[in-house]
Amino acid sequence: MNPHFLQTEAWEAFQKAEGNEIFRKKEKNFEFMAILKPTPLGNYLFVPYGPTLADKKALKPAISALKSLAKEKNCVFVRIEPIIPFSQQEMKKIGAKKTHHFDPEHTLILELPKTDAEIYEIIGKNKARAHKNHKIKEISLRTSKNPSDMEIFFKFYEDVAKNDNFQTNERDYLKNQLKFDFATLYIAEFQKKPIGATIMYTGKDTCYYAYAGADYEFRKKEAGAILLTQMLLDARVTGKKFFDFWGITLSEDPKHPWYGFTKFKKSFGGKIVSYAGTYDIPIKRIKYTSYSLLRPINKLKRKIIKK
């Protein structure tokens, strides 16, 4: 079994540092790391990109274990996101209800080649040239573990979120990640002025393109492409096998909010990988029904508050 990064001990340590109560269980054919999450109607267990399964047959015993834990902790429901691509019909058989995705249902994963030259070949001549010549163009790159440097990132990240209509994570939540080994901030500067920033997660054999943003005014400088290329090169040098671009849409509609960055990520190669999606398993059905009815209202409230 090869768990997703959000099921690893590194992510568990971060979640504990954030004050979350964590439960981990490991059996021969499945394992999971579950986070206790609060709602106004009661707590639930969230298993991000999990449970991790040896095969499809392991889903039932994993769900049985999660249900027992949920009842023990007086939870309203369990939320799961298996990375094995189960169909809705298969999930329905175990009493799981598909819900709005929490983590992306589709991603793009590149098997990293052996040499930098091969990476340049995969990403194409234009992006390769932009990266190779970035110093000549007065663009410098640096990495940081300093949480104060996140202010650079937030400016770009929040602008992108506003333009693409998606909800951002809390600032402290992202800042605190830099205190852990898995997260690294990449910054691009033009004549010492920041023009782009990204966050990369490093797992056991995979690096992840977690967050990104760039200054639209300097879009012709291609900071986003240069930074992502550098991340690919660094991942290869450190011996990683894969690079996960973390989240795309399968929609071909140019009006889809994820269309733009999906097109950008696809231009770097990789194969589309689809997961099961996000599913809820009700434990207390009446309370879960109330939660389901209130969730869209609460989501709208959070958007209004952020504005």
Side-chain angles (χ1 to χ4, degrees), residues 35 98 112 139 149 168 186 188 208 213 215 268 271 288 290:
I35 306 168
K98 191 167 180 60
L112 292 167
I139 297 172
D149 278 339
T168 61
Y186 281 70
Y208 301 83
D215 192 328
F268 284 82
K271 293 182 179 179
Y288 178 75
S290 298

Side-chain angles (χ1 to χ4, degrees), residues 14 142-158 168-180 182-187 194 196-201 210-213:
F14 169 67
R142 65 184 177 93
T143 60
S144 175
K145 295 289 292 180
N146 186 346
S148 65
D149 278 339
M150 286 294 289
E151 293 302 322
I152 296 170
F153 168 77
F154 290 138
K155 179 185 182 300
F156 306 133
Y157 176 54
E158 289 165 2
T168 61
N169 282 296
E170 296 295 335
R171 285 184 167 219
D172 285 345
Y173 178 81
L174 295 176
K175 269 188 177 182
N176 292 341
Q177 291 181 7
L178 287 194
K179 299 174 184 178
F180 291 79
F182 67 79
T184 302
L185 175 65
Y186 281 70
I187 300 169
T198 62
I199 298 175
M200 184 173 79
Y201 292 167
Y211 301 96

Side-chain angles (χ1 to χ4, degrees), residues 8 13 21 30 44 53 118 132 134 166 168 194 200 215 258:
T8 63
E21 190 172 0
F30 74 84
Y44 70 96
L53 309 170
E118 289 175 287
K132 290 177 180 178
H134 70 270
F166 67 84
T168 61
M200 184 173 79
D215 192 328
W258 288 16

Side-chain angles (χ1 to χ4, degrees), residues 91-106:
M91 298 301 285
K92 188 177 181 180
K93 287 180 180 179
I94 62 162
K97 298 177 177 292
K98 191 167 180 60
T99 187
H100 179 73
H101 69 256
F102 191 89
D103 292 303
E105 190 171 337
H106 311 283

Side-chain angles (χ1 to χ4, degrees), residues 276-288:
T278 305
Y279 285 83
D280 290 345
I281 301 169
I283 304 298
K284 298 182 179 182
R285 293 192 175 275
I286 294 176
K287 280 195 172 183
Y288 178 75

Side-chain angles (χ1 to χ4, degrees), residues 18-255:
E18 289 292 290
N20 294 313
E21 190 172 0
I22 304 298
F23 307 95
R24 182 176 288 279
K25 186 177 182 65
K26 187 172 184 178
E27 297 292 342
K28 184 179 179 181
N29 60 348
F30 74 84
E31 62 179 287
F32 63 75
M33 186 274 290
I35 306 168
L36 191 68
K37 293 278 191 177
T39 79
L41 295 175
N43 296 334
Y44 70 96
L45 290 176
F46 178 42
V47 190
Y49 283 144
T52 306
L53 309 170
D55 51 39
K56 284 194 170 185
K57 293 179 182 178
L59 181 62
K60 284 187 178 180
I63 296 306
S64 178
L66 281 164
K67 282 183 174 180
S68 295
L69 177 60
K71 290 174 182 176
E72 179 186 332
K73 300 302 174 183
N74 198 30
C75 291
V76 177
F77 64 96
V78 178
R79 177 162 291 162
I80 62 172
E81 299 178 327
I83 59 175
I84 290 180
F86 290 95
S87 68
Q88 287 195 46
Q89 190 62 32
E90 288 174 311
M91 298 301 285
K92 188 177 181 180
K93 287 180 180 179
I94 62 162
K97 298 177 177 292
K98 191 167 180 60
T99 187
H100 179 73
H101 69 256
F102 191 89
D103 292 303
E105 190 171 337
H106 311 283
T107 190
L108 199 66
I109 297 178
L110 174 67
E111 185 174 354
L112 292 167
K114 301 296 183 182
T115 67
D116 288 356
E118 289 175 287
I119 289 179
Y120 285 135
E121 185 177 349
I122 290 170
I123 67 176
K125 292 180 180 179
N126 291 338
K127 287 190 285 293
R129 187 183 303 113
H131 182 269
K132 290 177 180 178
N133 296 334
H134 70 270
K135 291 181 181 178
I136 298 173
K137 302 292 185 180
E138 298 184 85
I139 297 172
S140 60
L141 306 179
R142 65 184 177 93
T143 60
S144 175
K145 295 289 292 180
N146 186 346
S148 65
D149 278 339
M150 286 294 289
E151 293 302 322
I152 296 170
F153 168 77
F154 290 138
K155 179 185 182 300
F156 306 133
Y157 176 54
E158 289 165 2
D159 284 347
V160 170
K162 186 177 181 180
N163 291 334
D164 291 347
N165 193 31
F166 67 84
Q167 192 169 331
T168 61
N169 282 296
E170 296 295 335
R171 285 184 167 219
D172 285 345
Y173 178 81
L174 295 176
K175 269 188 177 182
N176 292 341
Q177 291 181 7
L178 287 194
K179 299 174 184 178
F180 291 79
D181 290 341
F182 67 79
T184 302
L185 175 65
Y186 281 70
I187 300 169
E189 296 173 324
F190 172 63
Q191 297 177 346
K192 298 185 178 180
K193 174 183 171 62
I195 60 171
T198 62
I199 298 175
M200 184 173 79
Y201 292 167
T202 300
K204 184 179 179 181
D205 63 3
T206 304
C207 283
Y208 301 83
Y209 187 42
Y211 301 96
D215 192 328
Y216 185 76
E217 182 182 346
F218 291 90
R219 61 193 180 280
K220 291 183 179 180
K221 299 295 181 184
E222 300 182 87
I226 293 169
L227 284 167
L228 182 46
T229 302
Q230 188 61 49
M231 292 161 69
L232 291 172
L233 295 170
D234 289 351
R236 187 201 70 76
V237 168
T238 55
K240 303 306 175 189
K241 295 179 180 178
F242 304 100
F243 191 92
D244 189 332
F245 293 87
W246 204 317
I248 61 168
T249 179
L250 300 185
S251 173
E252 296 295 334
D253 182 0
K255 294 181 181 179

